[in-house]
Amino acid sequence: MTTPSALPPDQAADRLGEFTVIDVRSPAEYATGHLPGAHNVPLDRLDEAVEALKTAAAHAPLLVVCASGARSAKGCAQLAGRGIEAATLEGGTNSWAAAGFDVDRPAGSPATWPMDRQVRLAAGSLVVVGFLAGFAWQPAHWLSAAVGAGLVFSSVTNTCGMAAVLSKLPHNRPPKNALSFQETLLRLTA
């Protein structure tokens, strides 16, 4: 297993044409803006795309991106475990856009918050609700404790059950005009 390399935005921009870019964010996040030419293969579906990604990697090196670089680093590690080398974009699309590089934003795309921000809002809200409800009904304090324990577990295991649940909500679904996952896989193998 190899250690994935991380490219800063300026180096990735200089070499963008050399890469097959894989965006591992949710389809709704991807639709809000992505690197030019990026293919959307959500992190939770990476295992389903292994064969297509092997084929794509045989033609050009893979550059894996997400919003901040955390999910793309996890995706690179997953791929490395399957014998597929990939680089990650340091700071993700956030740093790419902040550096002034082009981001494709399809017309009519929703303005969806990044998943990490949605998780912080949901977790924080549940903690406050549990705390306040605990004044009226003492056992409600356990809601805050459960959310805190879930966040600790998420940190230790580098997984996030809350993100998995939030990704299923209507505002996090891909736009109607988005490519299907199967079509994306076909394009990767072409």
Side-chain angles (χ1 to χ4, degrees):
M1 187 156 110
T2 60
T3 303
S5 60
L7 295 176
D10 58 335
Q11 287 181 16
D14 289 343
R15 299 178 48 204
L16 191 60
E18 298 173 25
F19 291 106
T20 298
V21 181
I22 307 298
D23 192 317
V24 295
R25 295 177 297 160
S26 71
E29 288 177 289
Y30 171 82
T32 63
H34 52 271
L35 271 67
H39 301 276
N40 186 219
V41 180
L43 185 61
D44 64 346
R45 300 194 74 181
L46 211 56
D47 285 337
E48 296 174 60
V50 165
E51 293 307 316
L53 292 170
K54 279 183 184 176
T55 301
H59 295 131
L62 300 182
L63 177 64
V64 182
V65 301
C66 66
S68 67
R71 284 179 281 177
S72 60
K74 186 175 180 179
C76 283
Q78 241 180 291
L79 292 173
R82 300 292 196 105
I84 304 170
E85 288 192 43
T88 184
L89 177 64
E90 285 180 5
T93 54
N94 293 341
S95 65
W96 177 269
F101 297 115
D102 287 340
V103 176
D104 285 349
R105 288 188 172 89
S109 295
T112 303
W113 283 2
M115 190 56 65
D116 63 323
R117 187 173 179 191
Q118 291 182 49
V119 168
R120 290 193 310 266
L121 176 66
S125 298
L126 288 171
V127 168
V128 169
V129 166
F131 176 76
L132 294 175
F135 290 118
W137 185 57
Q138 186 67 27
H141 280 285
W142 287 104
L143 175 61
S144 298
V147 171
L151 291 172
V152 169
F153 178 79
S154 174
S155 175
V156 169
T157 63
N158 201 22
T159 62
C160 187
M162 188 175 288
V165 171
L166 291 172
S167 71
K168 307 298 183 212
L169 293 176
H171 67 276
N172 283 324
R173 293 194 184 129
K176 292 184 184 342
N177 61 349
L179 285 180
S180 72
F181 182 68
Q182 296 307 322
E183 179 63 30
T184 298
L185 296 182
L186 289 172
R187 287 185 179 199
L188 285 170
T189 57

